[in-house]
Amino acid sequence: MNPLIEDLSHILVTEKQIESRTKFLGRDISEFYRKRNIDEITAICITNGSIIFSADLLRKVYLHVKMDCIRVSSYRDETSPVTNPEIIDHIRLDIEGQHVLLIDDVLDTGKTINRITSLLRRQNPSSFHSCVLLDKKGRRKDPYEADFVGFKIPDEFVVGYGLDFAERYRNLPCIGVLKPELQNPPEWQ
Ligand code: IMP
Ligand code: MG
C-alpha cells in the first residue's frame, strides 16, 4: 500500500477508473479526428498539472501527434487562486494550420483555459479542441466547455495524477481530497 494514500480523506477517482477512462478518451479523440479525415494533431499540454494525464492519454491516441507544452502559474501553495494565470513558458511549435488539442488537468474557474485558448486561437490553427481530465462545473467564473472530459467532479480541492498541493502529490496514482489538517502545513513553503 502506498503510504501517501493515507494523506487523503477520501478517494474520488481510483487508479483503475483513470486507466479505463483514459483508454476510452484516447479512442474517442482518435475517432473524432479520423471521421474528419484528420490523421495528425498537435497536442498542447498545460504543465505541470497535465503531464501525467497527457502521457497516458496520448499513448492511447492512434493519430500522429506533435507535442508541446505551455507553462502557466495561477496558484501559489494555497488551495485557491491568488493571481491571474500567468504564462511563464510559451510553446515553440508553429501551430498555424495545425489541428490543436489543448490538454489540461482540471477545469475549475475557467480562467486558465480561457486565457490559453484565446492566445492559441490567435495563432490560426486549422481547428481547436480541448480535453480536460477533470471538470468542476460548479466553480466556473468564465464560461468554458471542454470538448473531451475525463470526469466531472464536485467542487473540492483534489490532488493526485498530476494535480498538486504545494507541488506535492502529483505522483499519486489516484485522485482524492487531502485531509484538512494537511491543507496548509507551515513547513511547506
Ligand atoms: P482555473 O483557471 O481556475 O480553471 O484553474 C485551473 C488550474 O488550477 C488547473 O490547471 C490546476 O493547475 C489548478 N487547480 C484547480 N483546481 C485544482 C484542484 O482541485 N487541485 C489542484 N490544482 C487545481
Ligand atoms: Mg497546480
Side-chain angles (χ1 to χ4, degrees):
M1 164 87 172
N2 182 340
L4 292 180
I5 303 230
E6 282 165 30
D7 289 1
L8 301 177
S9 66
H10 57 282
I11 293 177
L12 271 184
V13 191
T14 66
E15 188 175 358
K16 275 220 147 49
Q17 287 172 316
I18 294 173
E19 206 180 294
S20 71
R21 185 73 187 123
T22 310
K23 201 167 162 184
F24 186 87
L25 264 182
R27 203 179 53 202
D28 227 23
I29 289 169
S30 310
E31 289 306 312
F32 174 87
Y33 286 102
R34 289 218 171 265
K35 269 188 208 145
R36 290 160 177 77
N37 291 320
I38 295 165
D39 64 0
E40 180 177 286
I41 61 169
T42 300
I44 306 292
C45 316
I46 305 180
T47 56
N48 291 326
S50 83
I51 286 182
I52 292 176
F53 173 49
S54 300
D56 284 343
L57 175 72
L58 292 174
R59 281 180 292 176
K60 304 291 181 219
V61 168
Y62 40 93
L63 300 162
H64 291 295
V65 178
K66 290 193 205 164
M67 214 182 119
D68 206 345
C69 295
I70 189 163
R71 180 182 290 268
V72 182
S73 150
S74 57
Y75 279 65
R76 277 210 291 259
D77 293 343
E78 296 83 356
T79 53
S80 61
V82 288
T83 54
N84 275 329
E86 198 186 311
I87 288 150
I88 298 171
D89 197 6
H90 209 325
I91 54 168
R92 308 287 196 273
L93 285 182
D94 180 5
I95 57 166
E96 182 167 354
Q98 305 295 306
H99 296 284
V100 167
L101 179 68
L102 180 64
I103 306 176
D104 201 7
D105 55 356
V106 52
L107 184 43
D108 187 30
T109 65
K111 282 183 190 301
T112 307
I113 208 157
N114 265 302
R115 173 97 200 268
I116 295 176
T117 296
S118 53
L119 202 117
L120 296 178
R121 276 187 184 280
R122 262 184 263 144
Q123 299 183 41
N124 298 319
S126 272
S127 70
F128 184 92
H129 294 88
S130 58
C131 175
V132 296
L133 171 67
L134 306 173
D135 187 355
K136 287 194 220 169
K137 256 211 152 93
R139 293 255 312 159
R140 208 77 88 248
K141 291 203 175 98
D142 295 1
Y144 197 94
E145 291 290 335
D147 300 285
F148 303 95
V149 174
F151 302 93
K152 291 190 173 133
I153 60 161
D155 171 17
E156 287 186 286
F157 189 86
V158 294
V159 295
Y161 199 65
L163 293 114
D164 71 303
F165 172 71
E167 295 302 327
R168 277 84 167 182
Y169 301 107
R170 292 193 198 274
N171 59 322
L172 268 187
C174 60
I175 296 163
V177 177
L178 264 188
K179 287 179 175 161
E181 64 269 26
L182 289 171
Q183 291 203 6
N184 261 325
E187 66 276 19
W188 281 6
Q189 293 311 323

